[in-house]
Amino acid sequence: MKIRWSRTILLLTPATLLAAMLFVYPVFGVLSLTVHDGTSFTGEPIRQVFNSQLSIIVLQRTFVTAATVTLICLLMGYPMAYFMAGLSPRKRVLATYLILLPFWISVLIRTYTWIILLGREGILNKALVAIGLTAEPIQLLYTPFAVHIGMVQILLPIVILTCLTSILDVERDLVKAARILGATPAQAFWKVLFPLSVSGAATGGIICFILCLGFFVTPTLLGGRTSLLIANLIDLQVHKTLKWDLAAVMASAMLAATFTCLLAYWMLTRKRAEFATGGLAR
Amino acid sequence: MTSAGATIDFKNVRKTYGKFVALEDFSMRVEGGEFMTLLGASGSGKTTALNSLAGFVDIDGGEILIDGVPITKLPTEKRDIGMVFQNYSLFPHRSVIRNISFPLEMRGVARDEARRRSFKALEMVRLDSLANRMPHELSGGQKQRVAFARAVVFEPRVLLMDEPLGALDLKLRETLQLEIKEYQRQIGCTVIYVTHDQSEALTLSDRMAVMDKGRVLQIGTPEQLYDRPQSRFVAGFVGSNNILKVQSVEEGFMTLEGLGRFKGDGRHLIPGGFVSIRPELITIRHGGSGAHMAHLSEAVFFGNSVRYILRAADSKEISAIEHRRPGQDVLPLGTAVAFDLDTSDLVPLLD
């Protein structure tokens, strides 16, 4: 098809301008802050961030938390998706609606709910004391546990749905073929369905991981001092200590991490497309 | 790679999906080593019959036996049946050789032994040079050959084929038909083959069953089904055919509705009933005159033959196939020709 340039430019201009103004320009602003102090180039901010124990610990914690939450989401989400894939189409649609239901409630409210559930006087502690498992209420809120559970709750639907798509993408006849050729249901799953859907599940995991890196509300509300994540630290540097250059270095580090993940995502989806189309995508 | 084919018995099998009846009182016996084709349009129940034998669907009534042993309670993987699917269903993440060794792997065959036997199967379909290719690097015909090798590598006594050539073009389909037939003769397993292509069924089968609305309408050798269809459905579905209505039968004469009176014995025919006659049994005399005259309303050139649609005096149409010698021209449309038929060629139809 012949591309009509005048029309293409006309259609793309508003979005491009908006993105340039509100995304590209600020991102370059942030990037330049990391190496330029307004008058001359400097390595000081980068050195400061990577010499500071606090920022190293928080960076590490952010990655570990993101990895843990992603793993929990995958371990819970894939079996759920597998169950949904076995439902009749009508029931599957219903299940999908149920899974998407939490999206109708804001992240803030969903996070506050955990305060009610996990607090000293919360339902969980009252139940634990009532059945005698503990004499005193235990500290659940403002712990890494609370942050993890809050993040999992928010991200799980995304992981379930990407896993579901990847399982449904596997041609149904392949599992049938495995069975008639002698595979038990378990063998058919591990030898055929799982290897063919795992890369799709992994792309879901990557999306989940990227979203985890930027979590702010959940660690702020549910985490204590010891579960601050990088977003909280950036916020602190911007609003409290006013060290924008340090904030910029941290933000850029997260940006680099995200791009690395996106690269992995792109490579995975390309491989999947190759399988799905029999190599036509190459 | 040989196996004595098993006998298969379907006994009064019934399967419904909600209100839709997929199989109704479906009974059929397939002898050991036989090539049986289930022929029918989509929704006729042919695939359901295959799937119930494979164990992919649970039947609602009746029983299926392999060598006299009921199998409906056996899980799919224990039935020891080979199967080739329409869309190949090769495992995309496994190389050709590892696709073929899959059934052996599942049966706990030692790795070296599995590899040796897989290679033998691959040699049979003449693709041993492609052992390490991935499925997406194969052409459609190659995929189907690999799928075939995979389905027979463990020497099953029953092989199911669900429209295995449906996705291929005509030329390749014809080549593969011959190959499939040859491999089956070599191996000796019982084959149940599902297709909606009647010419494929005629080419491949030892016997074939024509199905409609979940029932077997007629079962027999390709010759029997071609020469003696019992119903209008079978007469129309297998090969091309003229279906005519008998108006009256008199001593030494009979009248076909819209075509006129023909000399000949019609004692095997019932007035008001339907009969069929193959187009190649209608004779045409060019330019001549005779008792039965018609105009050519259509001509289709096939190379070795020409198919004419004749329009008789009161606009009833009948098709005739005429063998053609080199240099013989197709008659122009509108030509008046005389035609005739032998009344003993008329096959009475039950409905």
Side-chain angles (χ1 to χ4, degrees), chain B residues 150-172:
Chain B
R150 185 180 68 173
V152 298
V153 70
F154 59 104
E155 296 173 14
R157 302 180 60 206
V158 176
L159 175 63
L160 308 182
M161 305 184 89
D162 187 4
E163 309 234 5
L165 307 180
L168 304 173
D169 62 66
L170 186 64
K171 208 74 178 182
L172 190 54

PDB file of all heavy atoms in Angstrom, chain B residues 150-172:
ATOM      1  N   ARG B 150       4.737 -40.362  12.914  1.00  0.00           N
ATOM      2  CA  ARG B 150       4.576 -40.311  14.366  1.00  0.00           C
ATOM      3  C   ARG B 150       3.407 -41.193  14.826  1.00  0.00           C
ATOM      4  O   ARG B 150       3.446 -41.792  15.891  1.00  0.00           O
ATOM      5  CB  ARG B 150       4.338 -38.850  14.794  1.00  0.00           C
ATOM      6  CG  ARG B 150       4.264 -38.639  16.281  1.00  0.00           C
ATOM      7  CD  ARG B 150       4.021 -37.191  16.635  1.00  0.00           C
ATOM      8  NE  ARG B 150       2.685 -36.752  16.240  1.00  0.00           N
ATOM      9  CZ  ARG B 150       2.167 -35.570  16.552  1.00  0.00           C
ATOM     10  NH1 ARG B 150       2.883 -34.691  17.226  1.00  0.00           N
ATOM     11  NH2 ARG B 150       0.962 -35.236  16.157  1.00  0.00           N
ATOM     12  N   ALA B 151       2.376 -41.256  13.984  1.00  0.00           N
ATOM     13  CA  ALA B 151       1.181 -42.010  14.365  1.00  0.00           C
ATOM     14  C   ALA B 151       1.380 -43.516  14.254  1.00  0.00           C
ATOM     15  O   ALA B 151       0.638 -44.283  14.856  1.00  0.00           O
ATOM     16  CB  ALA B 151      -0.003 -41.574  13.503  1.00  0.00           C
ATOM     17  N   VAL B 152       2.374 -43.950  13.463  1.00  0.00           N
ATOM     18  CA  VAL B 152       2.532 -45.398  13.277  1.00  0.00           C
ATOM     19  C   VAL B 152       3.822 -45.948  13.880  1.00  0.00           C
ATOM     20  O   VAL B 152       4.033 -47.153  13.874  1.00  0.00           O
ATOM     21  CB  VAL B 152       2.467 -45.794  11.780  1.00  0.00           C
ATOM     22  CG1 VAL B 152       1.114 -45.435  11.198  1.00  0.00           C
ATOM     23  CG2 VAL B 152       3.591 -45.158  10.984  1.00  0.00           C
ATOM     24  N   VAL B 153       4.669 -45.058  14.431  1.00  0.00           N
ATOM     25  CA  VAL B 153       5.986 -45.495  14.889  1.00  0.00           C
ATOM     26  C   VAL B 153       5.887 -46.527  16.011  1.00  0.00           C
ATOM     27  O   VAL B 153       6.736 -47.401  16.147  1.00  0.00           O
ATOM     28  CB  VAL B 153       6.850 -44.279  15.311  1.00  0.00           C
ATOM     29  CG1 VAL B 153       6.312 -43.651  16.589  1.00  0.00           C
ATOM     30  CG2 VAL B 153       8.295 -44.681  15.492  1.00  0.00           C
ATOM     31  N   PHE B 154       4.830 -46.465  16.803  1.00  0.00           N
ATOM     32  CA  PHE B 154       4.697 -47.418  17.919  1.00  0.00           C
ATOM     33  C   PHE B 154       3.863 -48.633  17.520  1.00  0.00           C
ATOM     34  O   PHE B 154       3.403 -49.386  18.367  1.00  0.00           O
ATOM     35  CB  PHE B 154       4.132 -46.720  19.155  1.00  0.00           C
ATOM     36  CG  PHE B 154       2.782 -46.073  18.964  1.00  0.00           C
ATOM     37  CD1 PHE B 154       1.631 -46.663  19.465  1.00  0.00           C
ATOM     38  CD2 PHE B 154       2.657 -44.857  18.303  1.00  0.00           C
ATOM     39  CE1 PHE B 154       0.387 -46.072  19.302  1.00  0.00           C
ATOM     40  CE2 PHE B 154       1.417 -44.264  18.134  1.00  0.00           C
ATOM     41  CZ  PHE B 154       0.283 -44.867  18.627  1.00  0.00           C
ATOM     42  N   GLU B 155       3.703 -48.814  16.213  1.00  0.00           N
ATOM     43  CA  GLU B 155       3.014 -49.981  15.661  1.00  0.00           C
ATOM     44  C   GLU B 155       1.635 -50.200  16.258  1.00  0.00           C
ATOM     45  O   GLU B 155       1.326 -51.275  16.782  1.00  0.00           O
ATOM     46  CB  GLU B 155       3.898 -51.227  15.834  1.00  0.00           C
ATOM     47  CG  GLU B 155       5.189 -51.086  15.037  1.00  0.00           C
ATOM     48  CD  GLU B 155       6.182 -52.208  15.310  1.00  0.00           C
ATOM     49  OE1 GLU B 155       5.773 -53.217  15.901  1.00  0.00           O
ATOM     50  OE2 GLU B 155       7.348 -52.047  14.915  1.00  0.00           O
ATOM     51  N   PRO B 156       0.796 -49.170  16.195  1.00  0.00           N
ATOM     52  CA  PRO B 156      -0.561 -49.346  16.710  1.00  0.00           C
ATOM     53  C   PRO B 156      -1.327 -50.271  15.773  1.00  0.00           C
ATOM     54  O   PRO B 156      -1.001 -50.375  14.595  1.00  0.00           O
ATOM     55  CB  PRO B 156      -1.128 -47.929  16.661  1.00  0.00           C
ATOM     56  CG  PRO B 156      -0.408 -47.285  15.532  1.00  0.00           C
ATOM     57  CD  PRO B 156       0.963 -47.876  15.538  1.00  0.00           C
ATOM     58  N   ARG B 157      -2.316 -50.932  16.307  1.00  0.00           N
ATOM     59  CA  ARG B 157      -3.094 -51.837  15.470  1.00  0.00           C
ATOM     60  C   ARG B 157      -4.257 -51.112  14.839  1.00  0.00           C
ATOM     61  O   ARG B 157      -4.937 -51.633  13.959  1.00  0.00           O
ATOM     62  CB  ARG B 157      -3.562 -53.028  16.310  1.00  0.00           C
ATOM     63  CG  ARG B 157      -2.339 -53.762  16.912  1.00  0.00           C
ATOM     64  CD  ARG B 157      -2.750 -54.930  17.753  1.00  0.00           C
ATOM     65  NE  ARG B 157      -3.489 -55.883  16.947  1.00  0.00           N
ATOM     66  CZ  ARG B 157      -4.379 -56.732  17.456  1.00  0.00           C
ATOM     67  NH1 ARG B 157      -4.650 -56.711  18.731  1.00  0.00           N
ATOM     68  NH2 ARG B 157      -5.002 -57.582  16.667  1.00  0.00           N
ATOM     69  N   VAL B 158      -4.500 -49.892  15.328  1.00  0.00           N
ATOM     70  CA  VAL B 158      -5.573 -49.069  14.758  1.00  0.00           C
ATOM     71  C   VAL B 158      -5.010 -47.687  14.470  1.00  0.00           C
ATOM     72  O   VAL B 158      -4.301 -47.123  15.292  1.00  0.00           O
ATOM     73  CB  VAL B 158      -6.748 -48.943  15.757  1.00  0.00           C
ATOM     74  CG1 VAL B 158      -7.816 -48.011  15.196  1.00  0.00           C
ATOM     75  CG2 VAL B 158      -7.322 -50.297  16.093  1.00  0.00           C
ATOM     76  N   LEU B 159      -5.295 -47.176  13.290  1.00  0.00           N
ATOM     77  CA  LEU B 159      -4.834 -45.834  12.926  1.00  0.00           C
ATOM     78  C   LEU B 159      -6.042 -45.000  12.514  1.00  0.00           C
ATOM     79  O   LEU B 159      -6.825 -45.418  11.653  1.00  0.00           O
ATOM     80  CB  LEU B 159      -3.829 -45.923  11.773  1.00  0.00           C
ATOM     81  CG  LEU B 159      -3.346 -44.592  11.188  1.00  0.00           C
ATOM     82  CD1 LEU B 159      -2.599 -43.777  12.232  1.00  0.00           C
ATOM     83  CD2 LEU B 159      -2.469 -44.822   9.966  1.00  0.00           C
ATOM     84  N   LEU B 160      -6.189 -43.840  13.152  1.00  0.00           N
ATOM     85  CA  LEU B 160      -7.300 -42.950  12.812  1.00  0.00           C
ATOM     86  C   LEU B 160      -6.767 -41.761  12.027  1.00  0.00           C
ATOM     87  O   LEU B 160      -5.723 -41.209  12.355  1.00  0.00           O
ATOM     88  CB  LEU B 160      -7.979 -42.449  14.090  1.00  0.00           C
ATOM     89  CG  LEU B 160      -8.394 -43.515  15.093  1.00  0.00           C
ATOM     90  CD1 LEU B 160      -9.097 -42.873  16.278  1.00  0.00           C
ATOM     91  CD2 LEU B 160      -9.287 -44.551  14.437  1.00  0.00           C
ATOM     92  N   MET B 161      -7.484 -41.376  11.000  1.00  0.00           N
ATOM     93  CA  MET B 161      -7.066 -40.211  10.220  1.00  0.00           C
ATOM     94  C   MET B 161      -8.268 -39.296  10.037  1.00  0.00           C
ATOM     95  O   MET B 161      -9.278 -39.682   9.462  1.00  0.00           O
ATOM     96  CB  MET B 161      -6.510 -40.662   8.872  1.00  0.00           C
ATOM     97  CG  MET B 161      -5.385 -41.673   9.020  1.00  0.00           C
ATOM     98  SD  MET B 161      -4.635 -42.143   7.459  1.00  0.00           S
ATOM     99  CE  MET B 161      -3.370 -40.905   7.347  1.00  0.00           C
ATOM    100  N   ASP B 162      -8.137 -38.071  10.575  1.00  0.00           N
ATOM    101  CA  ASP B 162      -9.242 -37.118  10.552  1.00  0.00           C
ATOM    102  C   ASP B 162      -8.977 -36.074   9.473  1.00  0.00           C
ATOM    103  O   ASP B 162      -8.254 -35.120   9.709  1.00  0.00           O
ATOM    104  CB  ASP B 162      -9.383 -36.462  11.926  1.00  0.00           C
ATOM    105  CG  ASP B 162     -10.617 -35.586  12.014  1.00  0.00           C
ATOM    106  OD1 ASP B 162     -11.389 -35.555  11.042  1.00  0.00           O
ATOM    107  OD2 ASP B 162     -10.792 -34.929  13.056  1.00  0.00           O
ATOM    108  N   GLU B 163      -9.540 -36.250   8.306  1.00  0.00           N
ATOM    109  CA  GLU B 163      -9.337 -35.346   7.178  1.00  0.00           C
ATOM    110  C   GLU B 163      -7.867 -34.955   7.045  1.00  0.00           C
ATOM    111  O   GLU B 163      -7.538 -33.768   7.022  1.00  0.00           O
ATOM    112  CB  GLU B 163     -10.176 -34.066   7.345  1.00  0.00           C
ATOM    113  CG  GLU B 163     -11.623 -34.373   7.649  1.00  0.00           C
ATOM    114  CD  GLU B 163     -12.584 -33.695   6.698  1.00  0.00           C
ATOM    115  OE1 GLU B 163     -12.107 -33.060   5.744  1.00  0.00           O
ATOM    116  OE2 GLU B 163     -13.791 -33.844   6.896  1.00  0.00           O
ATOM    117  N   PRO B 164      -6.975 -35.924   6.960  1.00  0.00           N
ATOM    118  CA  PRO B 164      -5.549 -35.592   7.042  1.00  0.00           C
ATOM    119  C   PRO B 164      -5.053 -34.775   5.857  1.00  0.00           C
ATOM    120  O   PRO B 164      -4.031 -34.116   5.947  1.00  0.00           O
ATOM    121  CB  PRO B 164      -4.865 -36.957   7.072  1.00  0.00           C
ATOM    122  CG  PRO B 164      -5.814 -37.871   6.404  1.00  0.00           C
ATOM    123  CD  PRO B 164      -7.185 -37.366   6.732  1.00  0.00           C
ATOM    124  N   LEU B 165      -5.763 -34.791   4.757  1.00  0.00           N
ATOM    125  CA  LEU B 165      -5.272 -34.083   3.573  1.00  0.00           C
ATOM    126  C   LEU B 165      -6.080 -32.822   3.286  1.00  0.00           C
ATOM    127  O   LEU B 165      -5.876 -32.158   2.273  1.00  0.00           O
ATOM    128  CB  LEU B 165      -5.320 -35.024   2.354  1.00  0.00           C
ATOM    129  CG  LEU B 165      -4.621 -36.363   2.555  1.00  0.00           C
ATOM    130  CD1 LEU B 165      -4.729 -37.215   1.299  1.00  0.00           C
ATOM    131  CD2 LEU B 165      -3.169 -36.172   2.928  1.00  0.00           C
ATOM    132  N   GLY B 166      -7.000 -32.503   4.199  1.00  0.00           N
ATOM    133  CA  GLY B 166      -7.934 -31.398   3.961  1.00  0.00           C
ATOM    134  C   GLY B 166      -7.264 -30.057   3.704  1.00  0.00           C
ATOM    135  O   GLY B 166      -7.790 -29.234   2.980  1.00  0.00           O
ATOM    136  N   ALA B 167      -6.069 -29.848   4.300  1.00  0.00           N
ATOM    137  CA  ALA B 167      -5.451 -28.531   4.190  1.00  0.00           C
ATOM    138  C   ALA B 167      -4.474 -28.441   3.013  1.00  0.00           C
ATOM    139  O   ALA B 167      -3.809 -27.438   2.842  1.00  0.00           O
ATOM    140  CB  ALA B 167      -4.721 -28.199   5.494  1.00  0.00           C
ATOM    141  N   LEU B 168      -4.391 -29.497   2.215  1.00  0.00           N
ATOM    142  CA  LEU B 168      -3.385 -29.505   1.150  1.00  0.00           C
ATOM    143  C   LEU B 168      -4.026 -29.262  -0.215  1.00  0.00           C
ATOM    144  O   LEU B 168      -5.214 -29.489  -0.402  1.00  0.00           O
ATOM    145  CB  LEU B 168      -2.669 -30.854   1.146  1.00  0.00           C
ATOM    146  CG  LEU B 168      -2.019 -31.234   2.482  1.00  0.00           C
ATOM    147  CD1 LEU B 168      -1.494 -32.646   2.436  1.00  0.00           C
ATOM    148  CD2 LEU B 168      -0.904 -30.270   2.830  1.00  0.00           C
ATOM    149  N   ASP B 169      -3.221 -28.839  -1.169  1.00  0.00           N
ATOM    150  CA  ASP B 169      -3.783 -28.594  -2.494  1.00  0.00           C
ATOM    151  C   ASP B 169      -3.975 -29.907  -3.250  1.00  0.00           C
ATOM    152  O   ASP B 169      -3.432 -30.947  -2.889  1.00  0.00           O
ATOM    153  CB  ASP B 169      -2.925 -27.601  -3.289  1.00  0.00           C
ATOM    154  CG  ASP B 169      -1.538 -28.137  -3.532  1.00  0.00           C
ATOM    155  OD1 ASP B 169      -1.407 -29.136  -4.259  1.00  0.00           O
ATOM    156  OD2 ASP B 169      -0.577 -27.553  -2.994  1.00  0.00           O
ATOM    157  N   LEU B 170      -4.752 -29.843  -4.311  1.00  0.00           N
ATOM    158  CA  LEU B 170      -5.253 -31.047  -4.978  1.00  0.00           C
ATOM    159  C   LEU B 170      -4.148 -31.996  -5.427  1.00  0.00           C
ATOM    160  O   LEU B 170      -4.198 -33.190  -5.187  1.00  0.00           O
ATOM    161  CB  LEU B 170      -6.117 -30.622  -6.170  1.00  0.00           C
ATOM    162  CG  LEU B 170      -6.819 -31.767  -6.885  1.00  0.00           C
ATOM    163  CD1 LEU B 170      -7.809 -32.444  -5.960  1.00  0.00           C
ATOM    164  CD2 LEU B 170      -7.524 -31.276  -8.136  1.00  0.00           C
ATOM    165  N   LYS B 171      -3.135 -31.430  -6.074  1.00  0.00           N
ATOM    166  CA  LYS B 171      -2.063 -32.254  -6.636  1.00  0.00           C
ATOM    167  C   LYS B 171      -1.367 -33.067  -5.539  1.00  0.00           C
ATOM    168  O   LYS B 171      -1.181 -34.268  -5.646  1.00  0.00           O
ATOM    169  CB  LYS B 171      -1.051 -31.318  -7.316  1.00  0.00           C
ATOM    170  CG  LYS B 171      -0.288 -31.938  -8.447  1.00  0.00           C
ATOM    171  CD  LYS B 171      -1.136 -32.108  -9.675  1.00  0.00           C
ATOM    172  CE  LYS B 171      -0.362 -32.690 -10.830  1.00  0.00           C
ATOM    173  NZ  LYS B 171      -1.251 -32.769 -12.001  1.00  0.00           N
ATOM    174  N   LEU B 172      -1.028 -32.340  -4.447  1.00  0.00           N
ATOM    175  CA  LEU B 172      -0.334 -32.966  -3.324  1.00  0.00           C
ATOM    176  C   LEU B 172      -1.237 -33.997  -2.657  1.00  0.00           C
ATOM    177  O   LEU B 172      -0.793 -35.056  -2.229  1.00  0.00           O
ATOM    178  CB  LEU B 172       0.050 -31.870  -2.328  1.00  0.00           C
ATOM    179  CG  LEU B 172       0.983 -32.258  -1.201  1.00  0.00           C
ATOM    180  CD1 LEU B 172       2.240 -32.885  -1.743  1.00  0.00           C
ATOM    181  CD2 LEU B 172       1.323 -31.025  -0.389  1.00  0.00           C
TER     182      LEU B 172
END
